Amino acid sequence: MKQDLKSSGFFVNKDKSIWQPTKKLIWLGFVWDLNTHTLEIPSEKIQRFKNDINSLHSVSPTARQLAKITGKIISFMPSLGNICRIMSRNMLMLISTSRYWDEQILLTSNAISEINFWHTNCELLPSKTLFSNNFLPDKIVYTDASSFAAAGYTVETFKKVVHKMWTFEEKQKSSTYRELKAVLITLNSLMKYFHSRLVKIYTDNQNVVRIITAGSMNAELQVLAIEIFNLCVQNNISIEVDWRFQFSYWKDLQSIQNPSLRDFASKLPNIAEASKSKNTVKKYSYAFKRFSVWCSNYDLCPLPASVITVAVYLSFLIQSEVSSSVLNGAFYGIKWEHDLNLYSNVFTSDFLSIVLEGGVRLLSKPVNKKEPITHDIIKRVIDKFGLSTNLADLRICCLVLLSYAGFLRYSELSHLKASNLRFYDSHVEITIVSSKTDVYRQGNVVVIAKTNSDLCPVAMLKRYLEAANISISSDEFIFRAISFLKSRNSHILCKANKPLSYTRARELLLSTLSEVGCKKEQFGLHSLRSGGVSEAAHNRIPERLLKSHGRWKTDLAKDGYIKENLKNRLSVSKSLNL
């Protein structure tokens, strides 16, 4: 093997290479031990870590020094697990308060405790196993808390029940605090039954699951998380925490035994997602992730979220002065996630709709529509670049004429392939495979006539395809990136069959418009679509044909693209015979 690698041109690193079979090796910064099935931290790495802690020397290290320590702790997670997150929260909170990396930080007592913990225990903590062991729990515990009391019990023949009434101070705490305290009280009270056991704890608060697993940036909750951790370590208890309502419709599908039914059921998630376009699903997913992060900062439950949680989040976005589209995206992204998990009843509240409507009104700004590209501008572009044999010039001319004549959105134009074109004596037929308004992908056909003039879009399209060497029967995208070959002193299409990006197409169009004397800030790619339909409307083309050619569903959508010329606007007052 060594010789094969050398002969193939590889440089062999002798220090890092192991040529004999082994059950123990260092790879990716960890010791992979197949004898014990563990992932361990190398002793040299541990020693360097302890040296870094020793080098702090004072209770006022810089943010950079503390970040170096916490960074190494987090890097231990593959070996040591979630303890790395739990026992570094206070240090991370201090780092987040610093204004710059070299600012000195006064360590709190909790942060000092974390540093001492790692200095003392980093060599003693057990390593994670490489292969997960799915053991049944020895004890199953349910806990719950209200604003008045907390309770917990074990699932056994003879139930052992714990309950506690909250003090006045505890009643003022958050629901997450009380639920977390309920877990701690239950563990403490039934400790003699849990010693050296695997305990499964069910709670109805998702935040409790996360905090026990990874700690909290809230100092009060972090104290409880550490108490639970220490209690388990001291009594050799292994705990698994789960949300007792995490069962959802999708999880229930796993219980289906019939193979045929299981096959049908397995397709349901994809079918549900297909109700929206891929871009919409992606947008909703990002919106919900941002909501989840926001919830975690305030220890709120994102799924299912309460009406008040969603309303406060919308208020946060409104006061952050996001755009109305971002606000709508957030609302419908959260709603989408709840609908998928059968929590749609949250969004039956009229209050959320009222908050959304109010936010949209407050955030709305005057619409600054781009100007339509007129017939005169099209003529100036073709007069300047249309006679060129340069592929780049032909591409922009073809792009302009097709968009203008076909009322094409750029998403439709960019995804045109040569196989979508059919040429006839009098026209070209363009199949739009995917369109914004064609949600069921039935397909649309746009026909563009031959005009036999200098501005003929069909003639320009043929010239461009010939210059680009694109075969009509191929699946190549028509509009792609172009490379310049110095050896030939000419442009060629890039081999990568990827459509020209929106950003690049917009740059090319605006640059072209600047060269023919237009103010480029007044125009965009949609100006071609609006320019084409405006010109057709001025020429009295029937409304039905305009809608069909532009693939608009409603008159309202179509009318938003048409800019009436001055002559037509004046005709209204002239008709009054004043």
Side-chain angles (χ1 to χ4, degrees):
M1 181 188 289
K2 189 188 302 185
Q3 190 57 43
D4 289 341
L5 289 171
K6 285 183 178 179
S7 60
S8 299
F10 288 95
F11 292 96
V12 178
N13 188 325
K14 295 180 180 179
D15 296 332
K16 292 188 176 182
S17 300
I18 299 174
W19 302 106
Q20 300 299 325
T22 180
K23 287 190 173 183
K24 187 175 182 179
L25 56 81
I26 296 178
W27 184 53
L28 298 178
F30 293 96
V31 178
W32 299 69
D33 193 338
L34 296 184
N35 293 308
T36 58
H37 296 167
T38 55
L39 190 67
E40 301 170 0
I41 303 171
S43 56
E44 303 83 18
K45 199 171 183 178
I46 291 288
Q47 191 56 51
R48 288 197 300 270
F49 173 63
K50 295 181 77 170
N51 291 340
D52 288 336
I53 293 177
N54 291 332
S55 67
L56 290 179
H57 289 309
S58 70
V59 292
S60 299
T62 64
R64 190 187 304 277
Q65 289 175 313
L66 196 58
K68 184 178 181 181
I69 300 295
T70 55
K72 289 193 174 183
I73 292 171
I74 297 300
S75 74
F76 295 160
M77 276 191 66
S79 175
L80 302 181
N82 287 323
I83 182 61
C84 299
R85 297 174 67 183
I86 295 173
M87 295 304 291
S88 60
R89 286 288 186 176
N90 287 291
M91 288 186 281
L92 289 170
M93 281 189 273
L94 289 177
I95 293 169
S96 67
T97 62
S98 63
R99 293 167 295 176
Y100 49 91
W101 281 114
D102 292 319
E103 181 182 12
Q104 285 193 313
I105 296 175
L106 181 63
L107 293 178
T108 62
S109 58
N110 288 330
I112 293 172
S113 297
E114 287 179 351
I115 292 171
N116 291 335
F117 169 85
W118 284 106
H119 189 271
T120 305
N121 297 293
C122 60
E123 294 176 290
L124 305 176
L125 292 170
S127 300
K128 288 177 67 175
T129 58
L130 291 170
F131 310 106
S132 60
N133 296 316
N134 296 317
F135 296 117
L136 291 174
D138 299 307
K139 301 287 181 181
I140 296 176
V141 179
Y142 284 83
T143 66
D144 199 4
S146 69
S147 56
F148 298 100
Y153 69 90
T154 61
V155 180
E156 293 177 323
T157 306
F158 176 74
K159 292 184 179 179
K160 298 173 177 61
V161 181
V162 176
H163 55 84
K164 178 189 185 301
M165 299 299 293
W166 297 126
T167 63
F168 176 78
E169 290 76 16
E170 289 170 329
K171 287 180 181 179
Q172 312 309 311
K173 304 290 187 183
S174 68
S175 60
T176 300
Y177 176 92
R178 293 194 296 269
E179 295 282 0
L180 198 58
K181 190 73 177 281
V183 173
L184 178 61
I185 292 167
T186 304
L187 285 174
N188 246 326
S189 302
L190 302 176
M191 184 53 59
K192 64 179 181 179
Y193 303 107
F194 298 155
H195 195 280
S196 301
R197 302 276 190 172
L198 173 58
V199 180
K200 181 86 168 186
I201 300 174
Y202 287 98
T203 175
D204 63 354
N205 188 304
Q206 280 184 307
N207 291 325
V208 169
V209 178
R210 180 180 55 79
I211 291 169
I212 291 178
T213 305
S216 173
M217 294 297 279
N218 181 304
E220 200 171 44
L221 300 179
Q222 175 67 2
V223 169
L224 291 178
I226 292 175
E227 283 188 46
I228 292 172
F229 169 76
N230 289 333
L231 192 65
C232 293
V233 170
Q234 292 162 10
N235 294 277
N236 194 28
I237 300 172
S238 297
I239 63 169
E240 295 177 356
V241 190
D242 219 336
W243 182 40
R244 71 168 177 260
F245 294 127
Q246 79 167 17
F247 155 83
S248 73
Y249 182 74
W250 304 116
K251 204 166 184 180
D252 190 35
L253 297 177
Q254 298 174 6
S255 63
I256 297 176
Q257 300 299 320
N258 186 289
S260 298
L261 291 179
R262 284 180 67 88
D263 185 53
F264 296 143
S266 66
K267 303 295 190 298
L268 274 174
N270 292 333
I271 294 171
E273 283 202 355
S275 64
K276 305 288 183 185
S277 72
K278 287 184 179 179
N279 286 336
T280 301
V281 171
K282 188 184 294 185
K283 176 183 176 181
Y284 285 172
S285 177
Y286 288 151
F288 185 75
K289 283 179 182 177
R290 287 193 290 270
F291 173 64
S292 297
V293 170
W294 181 85
C295 285
S296 68
N297 291 336
Y298 298 97
D299 292 309
L300 298 171
C301 180
L303 188 72
S306 68
V307 172
I308 294 302
T309 297
V310 178
V312 172
Y313 178 64
L314 294 179
S315 176
F316 160 74
L317 292 178
I318 293 165
Q319 293 176 64
S320 300
E321 297 185 351
V322 300
S323 67
S324 57
S325 63
V326 171
L327 184 68
N328 274 303
F331 178 87
Y332 290 107
I334 299 168
K335 183 179 185 300
W336 165 255
E337 199 68 31
H338 280 70
D339 287 344
L340 282 182
N341 289 277
L342 297 187
Y343 296 127
S344 55
N345 59 320
V346 175
F347 284 83
T348 57
S349 168
D350 291 336
F351 180 62
L352 290 180
S353 299
I354 292 170
V355 172
L356 176 66
E357 181 64 27
V360 170
R361 284 174 176 269
L362 290 171
L363 296 171
S364 293
K365 296 177 181 177
V367 178
N368 184 21
K369 281 192 174 182
K370 298 295 185 182
E371 290 293 316
I373 290 177
T374 63
H375 181 274
D376 176 62
I377 295 174
I378 296 289
K379 189 174 187 309
R380 280 149 58 187
V381 169
I382 302 305
D383 286 346
K384 185 173 180 65
F385 301 102
L387 297 178
S388 172
T389 57
N390 184 299
L391 184 60
D393 292 339
L394 291 175
R395 180 181 63 177
I396 192 63
C397 288
C398 185
L399 185 150
V400 165
L401 287 173
L402 277 187
S403 294
Y404 186 83
F407 305 172
L408 298 176
R409 302 177 181 89
Y410 186 70
S411 59
E412 298 167 346
L413 184 74
S414 64
H415 285 83
L416 279 184
K417 295 182 177 180
S419 56
N420 300 141
L421 306 174
R422 294 188 69 181
F423 288 94
Y424 296 90
D425 292 339
S426 60
H427 65 280
V428 64
E429 190 176 273
I430 301 174
T431 301
I432 308 295
V433 177
S434 175
S435 175
K436 177 182 176 181
T437 51
D438 181 24
V439 293
Y440 297 117
R441 303 294 182 260
Q442 295 173 341
N444 281 294
V445 174
V446 176
V447 291
I448 299 177
K450 272 187 182 179
T451 61
N452 298 319
S453 69
D454 294 340
L455 304 183
C456 178
V458 179
M460 184 60 70
L461 176 59
K462 285 184 174 180
R463 284 182 59 199
Y464 170 67
L465 293 175
E466 185 179 349
N469 197 27
I470 297 175
S471 170
I472 294 297
S473 59
S474 72
D475 274 337
E476 294 180 75
F477 287 108
I478 295 173
F479 297 104
R480 308 204 303 272
I482 285 177
S483 299
F484 180 74
L485 294 182
K486 288 185 179 180
S487 57
R488 299 183 190 175
N489 194 31
S490 63
H491 292 87
I492 63 167
L493 279 182
C494 289
K495 291 183 179 179
N497 192 27
K498 294 181 180 179
L500 190 67
S501 72
Y502 178 93
T503 305
R504 181 58 180 150
R506 184 174 179 276
E507 287 175 355
L508 292 171
L509 175 65
L510 297 186
S511 173
T512 301
L513 294 177
S514 292
E515 291 193 44
V516 296
C518 297
K519 294 181 179 179
K520 64 180 183 179
E521 58 273 7
Q522 295 180 348
F523 303 98
L525 285 171
H526 244 43
S527 298
L528 292 164
R529 178 170 162 86
S530 62
V533 70
S534 295
E535 182 68 22
H538 299 160
N539 293 327
R540 307 300 181 190
I541 300 298
E543 298 287 319
R544 182 177 57 81
L545 285 178
L546 289 179
K547 279 175 63 178
S548 173
H549 194 70
R551 300 159 307 286
W552 285 289
K553 281 188 171 183
T554 64
D555 289 331
L556 182 64
K558 168 186 64 65
D559 292 344
Y561 282 84
I562 297 174
K563 183 175 182 179
E564 294 289 354
N565 59 24
L566 182 60
K567 180 181 177 182
N568 289 344
R569 291 168 64 192
L570 291 174
S571 67
V572 177
S573 55
K574 284 182 178 180
S575 68
L576 302 177
N577 297 320
L578 296 176

